[in-house]
Amino acid sequence: MNAIQVLDHLAYAVVTPDARAEHLKPDGEGGRPTLKQMQEAVGGWIEIVPLPHDTNLMMVVNEEGLLEGLPVNIFASAIAGQPIVGNALFVPDEDLD
């Protein structure tokens, strides 16, 4: 299994700054997560972070995480190629249309 295949297995995973992962069960239409679910998963307003890899995932993070002083999420930062703080939710890009 290559790195991209591993990333694809993260769909609907919420990864915390202490590297714990929980699965989010989408409640929305068509099996998509609702805005409320995504906001609850990241603890506030959402920001979409495109991933620099050839994957079908996007990362959803707390838009105000830096202002709120949320802890660095080393796992999410490594995947995104930029500093990420707080929880990171991985969502298939087609769910964010």
Side-chain angles (χ1 to χ4, degrees):
M1 184 177 298
N2 66 35
I4 301 305
Q5 291 169 321
V6 170
L7 287 177
D8 286 342
H9 282 48
L10 287 173
Y12 306 116
V14 179
V15 179
T16 64
D18 60 356
R20 288 182 297 117
E22 300 173 6
H23 182 75
L24 176 83
K25 184 175 183 215
D27 289 339
E29 184 178 316
R32 297 176 177 198
T34 64
L35 175 60
K36 182 178 179 182
Q37 279 186 299
M38 291 188 285
Q39 289 173 329
E40 288 174 355
V42 300
W45 298 105
I46 66 168
E47 178 178 349
I48 308 301
V49 178
L51 299 180
H53 310 288
D54 185 20
T55 178
N56 70 342
L57 294 178
M58 301 286 258
M59 188 183 298
V60 178
V61 299
N62 184 317
E63 181 178 60
E64 298 178 331
L66 287 173
L67 295 173
E68 294 177 7
L70 296 179
V72 173
N73 188 322
I74 294 171
F75 179 81
S77 296
I79 291 173
Q82 63 180 309
I84 299 293
V85 297
N87 290 353
L89 168 63
F90 295 87
V91 178
D93 56 8
E94 65 266 11
D95 285 2
L96 298 173
D97 292 344

